[in-house]
Amino acid sequence: MRNEQPTSKVTNALVTCAAALCITCTAQAEETVELKIPPQSLETALLEFAEQSGAQVVMASTNVADIRTRGVAGRLTPRVALAQLIEGTDLEIHAVGERGFSLTARADEPKATQPKTVAPASAAKAEDPKKKALSSNLVTPDGDRRIETVIVTAQKREERLMEVPQSVTALSTAELTRSGALQFRDYADSVPGLAYNTNGAGYTQVVLRGVTTGYESSAPVAIYVDEVPYGGSGVMVNTTRQALDAGLFDLDRIEVLRGPQGTLYGAGAVGGLLKYVSKRPSSDKFEGQAQIGLSSTEQGGLSHSVAGAANLPISEGKAGVRLSGFYNHDGGYIDNLSRGKDDVNQADIYGGRADLLLTPTEQFSVRVAVFAQNISRDGESSADFSFAGSPVDSDMKQRRPAAEPFDQSFRLASVTLNYNFDWAALTSISSYQQDHTENVIDITQLYQPFTALLGHSYSSIGSVGETKTDKFVQEVRLASAGGERFDWIVGGFYTDENMDNHGRYVLEDAAGQPAPNVLNDGLTEIQFEEYAGFGTLTWHLTDKLDVSGGIRYSKVHQSFTSNFVGEIAVPSQPKTTGTTDATTYLANARYLINDQSMFYARYATGYRPGGPNNSYLDLVTLQQVPVAPFDSDTLSSYELGFRHETADRRFSMDLAAYYIDWKDIIIRVYDAGTGASYYDNAAGMRVRGGELALTARPVSSLTLAANMAYTDAYMAEDNSQLGAAKGERMPTVPRFSGSLTAEYDFSDIRWQPTLGAAVRYTGDRTASFDLNGGFPQYDMGSYTAVDLRAGLSFAPYDVQLYVRNLLDERGQVSAYTWQGNPLVSRVAMLQPRTIGLTVTTRF
């Protein structure tokens, strides 16, 4: 055995596995399996049944066309589950071999129509295991893979994306892996209608459908980890640009919901929602994967990554746990000339998940999940440009006398309880999270002359923003089983948040040594509490037409107090409290032309909570000036959509058009003349836009896709506080953006090579409004990036080679302008040409 060749070992292993598989299939013919198939078309439900049960179903298309099923959930034998799926139809079941079934119409001979075979993923001879995520496979007798059926939870139910009456993009783990994506910046340009501001990993503001004023007081897009909202909810905590940049390894998918999501997801989702959906543990099988990666960036450093995950069954059908961990080192590509440091934006992102699933009965399940992640970055991913658009030194260099590190630690624990009644499902989600972020911004240029007047000589001055958030969230909801004339969801929501915002300075003396902070040190303590109740009702007027309505009422209590000390400290603020409430609405209509085509119309609203305000010291009168509370802002969206796919599933289209009306926008006011800094409600803005996603599979191995977005976001009237004129475009948002991708899968060739290419385009944008004195205007222009990728699969390994930004385009992703540095715009640059390799193994 010591001299056995590696090829022989592999052959023996394969033979052993094949034999074991045959024995297992025979033994499991009547074993129970865990199934969760939502109400939907019967044809789609049978696809999911094959995927989840491992069984094979042969049917005639005409026998299941236009039939809907109530779905099935629980631990059942495949035959019993199949019987429940076809309950109420004129179909009957016939056994075919050890693990197969056929469906025919009762009292009829099988029809002459060419049969379809719905098979588990393992039965498709061309199927690669890495493509299993998010999909069920329709397999014809010749083994031709036709479709991937995407399941999402946008409406807090598992539904086929094709039937969801709103604009949703779902990115699977397989897609992210093929492109070498490790963080938010790597996939953001592929999502229609998404724009963002960033200074590097962990410091990003997400924008959907143009809902932004450039520098938000609170985030316009909500971030969720599974069922849990991330981050602080109020404006005082100052975390607008700290959107969670979660590690992407071992996720099931990312869902991006465009448009306001106020009814089901509450405050802060005025522009939409970004949801990270983790893989669910299994109690039935052991499996795992490991991944390593290496990449090199033009004019930058080497990056590397390592990750692993394992699913461990504890008790078959009763308990299982999934464990994963990841570490990503980003080599960086921006140099800080003032401090003589190369690749200053290098970062380390690491963390892990532990997820336990208990199913003591068929009706009851408990899921306990823990997620932890740290980000540590040496500096910003931005270069210094003049306001005329020219680099001060070069397009990959900055001059920052003060170091600008960024450190973030995020911890989340959640418990999800599900009890499945015959008529409804009860869900409870309890979560607790802690977030600690510390970020430094260089302000030497502004403060050096001023502090010299006070008798200080500093070589560098950095402004530190440190935020801490402790957040408890409880949600309980009851959802109907579906399949009846009326479907509904009712629920309650509660959040209790305690946040600290600690501002101070980090100083270096004339010799470059640390100096004590005598200038300013301030702590603001914020409490935020929200109670909400919500409900949605869907009325199936016919098998094809349904209408829905939803409402959510929220009541918010906020308080804050601040204490400042130092030579240039602003006055302390006594405890200030405030209470606001808001009601959001949802109404939509959906018409299912057939299983392949759908029209929908949607009206939805969202809001961000108002609250108590700062007072300020008038620098002219030297008197403390109280400021009235600011109101909640409100947003209304009107949307029309159409989805279609051909009967053979080779072509699909997703089209949406919308109009948005955003009123009483919450903004932060800075008045250099009086020293005022407070919150107010500005004039409204409007957005007119549309998105189009096309997918074509002219042959089974070739996939072509196009995603396009048009966003016309503009001010509805003049506003002097923003320096904005009526009709002026909103900052950050390109009018046109889109991507084209192509992928060819040589699945019939040994090692199953794949080739792919993508072109990403982002139109011109501005950083601010033309007359904004606090944040001067800067034009970022447009950019186009080209990506390539290639892969090989030879069991148990998948190898992916990718080139991101092939032509080394020096695109300007976002820009931060501030009166504190009036000569320089901080421009976040598109990652230069990056060549990388990842190797994944499954066991």
Side-chain angles (χ1 to χ4, degrees):
M1 293 298 293
R2 294 177 183 273
N3 297 323
E4 187 176 12
Q5 296 298 314
T7 303
S8 300
K9 291 182 178 180
V10 173
T11 302
N12 290 340
L14 291 175
V15 170
T16 302
C17 289
L21 182 60
C22 292
I23 294 170
T24 301
C25 287
T26 302
Q28 289 181 345
E30 290 303 319
E31 288 187 3
T32 59
V33 291
E34 185 70 30
L35 296 169
K36 189 174 183 181
I37 301 173
Q40 57 193 301
S41 71
L42 179 57
E43 184 172 2
T44 303
L46 291 173
L47 291 168
E48 296 183 34
F49 169 76
E51 174 80 25
Q52 297 179 27
S53 68
Q56 189 175 73
V57 182
V58 180
M59 61 185 177
S61 299
T62 54
N63 286 341
V64 297
D66 300 324
I67 297 177
R68 294 185 65 81
T69 176
R70 296 179 59 180
V72 63
R75 191 165 189 84
L76 305 165
T77 66
R79 187 181 184 94
V80 171
L82 186 57
Q84 290 189 21
L85 286 175
I86 66 171
E87 184 180 1
T89 72
D90 64 349
L91 299 174
E92 58 183 12
I93 304 170
H94 304 276
V96 179
E98 294 289 346
R99 199 70 173 172
F101 304 96
S102 68
L103 297 180
T104 60
R106 287 192 181 94
D108 288 332
E109 294 295 326
K111 300 183 181 181
T113 305
Q114 175 67 39
K116 290 183 179 179
T117 301
V118 181
S122 59
K125 64 184 181 183
E127 178 69 359
D128 187 294
K130 71 178 183 296
K131 296 177 182 176
K132 190 176 177 182
L134 274 183
S135 67
S136 299
N137 296 285
L138 178 65
V139 183
T140 57
D142 63 359
D144 180 23
R145 177 169 51 86
R146 297 284 181 88
I147 182 175
E148 293 184 347
T149 302
V150 180
I151 306 298
V152 295
T153 55
Q155 299 188 112
K156 300 204 172 181
R157 294 178 182 268
E158 289 191 343
E159 298 175 284
R160 189 168 69 119
L161 177 58
M162 184 67 191
E163 298 181 352
V164 176
Q166 61 175 292
S167 183
V168 181
T169 293
L171 301 173
S172 70
T173 298
E175 293 177 80
L176 299 172
T177 300
R178 285 196 296 269
S179 64
L182 293 175
Q183 52 183 287
F184 175 83
R185 72 176 184 203
D186 299 331
Y187 67 84
D189 287 343
S190 65
V191 178
L194 188 151
Y196 61 101
N197 288 309
T198 186
N199 285 333
Y203 198 77
T204 298
Q205 174 186 312
V206 183
V207 177
L208 286 169
R209 288 188 166 176
V211 180
T212 181
T213 58
Y215 302 94
E216 301 303 330
S217 55
S218 63
V221 174
I223 310 293
Y224 266 65
V225 179
D226 290 318
E227 299 268 22
V228 179
Y230 161 79
S233 302
V235 300
M236 297 291 180
V237 73
N238 195 29
T239 57
T240 303
R241 288 180 172 237
Q242 294 174 17
L244 179 64
D245 199 342
L248 306 180
F249 180 77
D250 204 42
L251 284 178
D252 188 72
R253 64 188 180 275
I254 297 172
E255 294 180 12
V256 182
L257 284 60
R258 288 178 286 273
Q261 308 294 326
T263 304
L264 289 178
Y265 293 97
V270 289
L273 180 80
L274 175 66
K275 180 188 288 189
Y276 296 98
V277 182
S278 59
K279 288 187 176 178
R280 186 179 177 88
S282 170
S283 60
D284 296 327
K285 60 181 178 179
F286 169 81
E287 64 177 6
Q289 61 175 322
Q291 185 181 93
I292 58 172
L294 182 67
S295 66
S296 176
T297 299
E298 189 80 12
Q299 297 190 25
L302 285 174
S303 301
H304 56 268
S305 62
V306 60
N311 187 89
L312 308 173
I314 299 173
S315 175
E316 185 174 358
K318 299 295 183 182
V321 64
R322 190 172 190 92
L323 306 173
S324 65
F326 60 92
Y327 171 77
N328 304 325
H329 173 73
D330 185 340
Y333 46 85
I334 299 291
D335 301 334
N336 187 339
L337 300 181
S338 294
R339 300 187 68 86
K341 185 173 179 61
D342 294 339
D343 306 328
V344 71
N345 63 321
Q346 62 180 312
D348 293 302
I349 306 171
Y350 55 95
R353 299 179 179 87
D355 202 341
L356 172 68
L357 178 64
L358 305 174
T359 52
T361 70
E362 294 181 1
Q363 292 79 26
F364 182 55
S365 68
V366 180
R367 187 176 180 184
V368 182
V370 178
F371 173 46
Q373 177 175 284
N374 282 30
I375 297 178
S376 180
R377 179 163 43 80
D378 291 344
E380 287 192 359
S381 299
S382 61
D384 292 343
F385 279 71
S386 71
F387 282 89
S390 301
V392 175
D393 293 287
S394 81
D395 51 21
M396 292 294 160
K397 298 188 186 300
Q398 59 181 226
R399 290 185 181 271
R400 314 281 169 82
E404 297 180 313
F406 175 92
D407 293 283
Q408 181 184 64
S409 67
F410 175 62
R411 306 289 184 264
L412 170 64
S414 64
V415 179
T416 303
L417 307 177
N418 277 292
Y419 192 87
N420 202 7
F421 302 98
D422 291 337
W423 51 278
L426 179 65
T427 302
S428 168
I429 308 105
S430 307
S431 65
Y432 175 73
Q433 61 183 274
Q434 288 184 329
D435 182 275
H436 182 196
T437 301
E438 186 171 321
N439 184 51
V440 181
I441 297 178
D442 174 71
I443 55 171
T444 305
Q445 183 180 18
L446 176 66
Y447 275 75
Q448 205 171 43
F450 179 64
T451 56
L453 297 177
L454 299 176
H456 304 295
S457 179
Y458 297 121
S459 61
S460 74
I461 305 172
S463 175
V464 182
E466 181 183 8
T467 60
K468 296 180 180 179
T469 302
D470 291 276
K471 180 174 182 174
F472 171 78
V473 178
Q474 176 66 54
E475 180 173 321
V476 178
R477 63 177 183 265
L478 187 66
S480 64
E484 302 294 340
R485 180 66 67 185
F486 295 97
D487 290 335
W488 47 265
I489 296 177
V490 294
F493 175 90
Y494 171 74
T495 180
D496 181 20
E497 306 171 20
N498 292 280
M499 298 160 281
D500 292 344
N501 188 359
H502 186 193
R504 60 189 186 276
Y505 293 141
V506 57
L507 308 166
E508 291 180 338
D509 61 22
Q513 298 301 311
N517 175 27
V518 297
L519 299 179
N520 183 36
D521 193 312
L523 176 65
T524 301
E525 298 175 294
I526 307 110
Q527 292 79 41
F528 183 98
E529 191 174 35
E530 178 186 359
Y531 301 85
F534 60 90
T536 63
L537 175 66
T538 299
W539 182 10
H540 298 278
L541 297 170
T542 70
D543 289 341
K544 296 180 178 294
L545 176 64
D546 55 61
V547 294
S548 299
I551 188 170
R552 185 187 188 104
Y553 175 77
S554 304
K555 195 173 190 66
V556 174
H557 303 281
Q558 296 183 74
S559 66
F560 74 92
T561 182
S562 59
N563 292 284
F564 296 90
V565 295
E567 296 178 6
I568 59 173
V570 298
S572 297
Q573 180 84 28
K575 186 172 184 178
T576 306
T577 62
T579 299
T580 58
D581 61 357
T583 304
T584 53
Y585 303 95
L586 169 69
N588 61 43
R590 177 180 64 173
Y591 183 73
L592 299 170
I593 302 171
N594 51 44
D595 281 347
Q596 286 79 44
S597 300
M598 177 192 70
F599 281 107
Y600 69 87
R602 183 174 190 264
Y603 168 74
T605 68
Y607 85 104
R608 297 183 301 176
N613 222 328
N614 293 313
S615 63
Y616 67 93
L617 179 68
D618 190 314
L619 298 181
V620 177
T621 65
L622 298 181
Q623 298 295 314
Q624 194 79 8
V625 180
V627 181
F630 57 97
D631 296 328
S632 301
D633 56 12
T634 59
L635 183 145
S636 298
S637 172
Y638 308 82
E639 180 177 345
L640 293 174
F642 174 67
R643 289 198 181 97
H644 171 74
E645 60 188 9
T646 56
D648 60 3
R649 314 292 177 88
R650 290 191 181 276
F651 175 82
S652 65
M653 177 175 66
D654 191 343
L655 175 64
Y658 61 89
Y659 173 78
I660 289 173
D661 184 7
W662 194 13
K663 297 179 179 179
D664 299 324
I665 305 171
I666 300 172
I667 62 170
R668 183 78 177 264
V669 177
Y670 298 93
D671 188 333
T674 62
S677 175
Y678 56 89
Y679 297 96
D680 200 0
N681 296 97
M685 58 87 74
R686 310 284 187 270
V687 190
R688 297 173 296 191
E691 294 124 7
L692 175 63
L694 300 171
T695 302
R697 304 176 183 89
V699 295
S700 60
S701 296
L702 176 63
T703 301
L704 305 173
N707 291 302
M708 293 162 277
Y710 169 76
T711 310
D712 182 19
Y714 58 94
M715 289 295 298
E717 54 188 284
D718 296 341
N719 186 268
S720 59
Q721 294 171 323
L722 289 174
K726 180 179 180 179
E728 186 174 355
R729 287 176 57 189
M730 305 303 286
T732 303
V733 184
R735 183 167 279 133
F736 295 98
S737 62
S739 65
L740 300 172
T741 62
E743 183 165 3
Y744 198 88
D745 183 354
F746 299 87
S747 56
D748 56 343
I749 299 177
R750 186 184 179 189
W751 291 5
Q752 302 179 28
T754 59
L755 295 175
V759 179
R760 297 174 282 129
Y761 172 77
T762 299
D764 66 287
R765 296 133 294 132
T766 59
S768 185
F769 294 101
D770 288 342
L771 300 179
N772 191 314
F775 300 95
Q777 183 62 285
Y778 180 83
D779 189 349
M780 289 175 277
S782 62
Y783 64 86
T784 301
V786 178
D787 306 330
L788 298 177
R789 60 177 181 262
L792 292 175
S793 295
F794 45 97
Y797 299 102
D798 294 327
V799 179
Q800 294 288 333
L801 174 67
Y802 62 89
V803 183
R804 190 178 296 117
N805 193 6
L806 173 69
L807 303 180
D808 202 22
E809 175 84 355
R810 297 305 165 88
Q812 300 185 7
V813 175
S814 64
Y816 180 74
T817 64
W818 178 47
Q819 62 180 358
N821 198 359
L823 301 180
V824 174
S825 175
R826 296 176 173 227
V827 179
M829 301 300 296
L830 182 69
Q831 186 182 27
R833 181 191 300 116
T834 298
I835 302 175
L837 178 73
T838 63
V839 179
T840 304
T841 183
R842 290 169 173 77
F843 49 88

